[in-house]
Amino acid sequence: MPSSISLHSVSAIAYGFRYRAPLKHTCLLYAHQLHSSHRQKSPLFSSSFCRVLNPSFFTGNSLFSRMEQFWSGSAVNRNRGMTEQLRRYGVIKSQKVTEIMETVDRGLFVPEGTPAYVDSPMSIGYNATISAPHMHAMCLELLEDRLQPGMHALDVGSGTGYLTACFALMVGPQGRVVGVEHIPELVAWSIKNVEKSAAAPLLKEGSLSLHVGDGRKGWPEHAPYDAIHVGAAAADVPQDLIDQLKPGGRMVIPVGTFFQDLKVIDKKLDGSISVRSETKVRYVPLTSREAQIKGTN
């Protein structure tokens, strides 16, 4: 059996696994194939694809320890330090994504008392989590060209509202961003979070909105969307989301059951669809509110 790491025990920087389930004893079986030229340099990767972290990663002189020391001080400095670290390790390449992640303080979008700036997913209740920062960064990078000023974006499974707020700042007041989450308590919390963030004016003005709904059906009112992000794994890509994707637009969605791929779906100007796999991931299923709360598919 390949080496594995329990998510609750380690920072997951540069790993393509993103969990929306509670942080139980789930294991990573694959390392994220990030940037091949960079991967060989990173101390987070061993030479084997299935072997995750070097044992020295956990020692007192490890990268994790250095990152923990680096993320001390004020929330602003810690959030900036988190972003700089992701950029240093090649997760973030875009200056725009860097600016957005420095502007939207992750600490406002996680439960009080949790280590907001460690690169790991965190439980937010209701069998859901907020993604690890590296997954947020990856999705922002993949969608950046479709998050230009004035464009429309849909965030399915918006959770605590972090990524939705990032989208809103990228498209600006002339754009439109919609977050859809089927847990009412999370929607109420996400609105409060955004109200404390740099995206608050956009929420007040109405270019950013957060709604209770079944994200599998999208949000037709403000379609078509230049960018669609889905935060849970679909067995098959919902047709409603494909229909609501604008020609020239892009959707990022995890697809599969146990073995999943982060799919990048582009709709060409003639309406045809192209699909490619970005990386291996592990998300909870895109399902009904009742099934999520029960923890079933």
Side-chain angles (χ1 to χ4, degrees), residues 36-51:
S36 57
S37 60
H38 166 79
R39 185 172 69 243
Q40 299 304 319
K41 301 175 185 178
S42 172
L44 279 73
F45 289 97
S46 67
S47 59
S48 169
F49 176 67
C50 289
R51 202 179 286 165

Side-chain angles (χ1 to χ4, degrees), residues 17-80:
F17 285 85
R18 190 268 202 176
Y19 286 78
R20 299 274 307 193
L23 305 185
K24 298 179 181 177
H25 299 290
T26 316
C27 294
L28 289 175
L29 298 179
Y30 300 98
H32 172 219
Q33 301 179 67
L34 191 48
H35 305 288
S36 57
S37 60
H38 166 79
R39 185 172 69 243
Q40 299 304 319
K41 301 175 185 178
S42 172
L44 279 73
F45 289 97
S46 67
S47 59
S48 169
F49 176 67
C50 289
R51 202 179 286 165
V52 281
L53 292 180
N54 225 309
S56 63
F57 182 77
F58 298 100
T59 67
N61 295 321
S62 69
L63 173 65
F64 183 74
S65 297
R66 293 197 298 274
M67 290 165 73
E68 287 282 85
Q69 294 167 10
F70 189 67
W71 294 332
S72 61
S74 71
V76 171
N77 288 337
R78 285 178 289 171
N79 191 70
R80 185 179 295 117

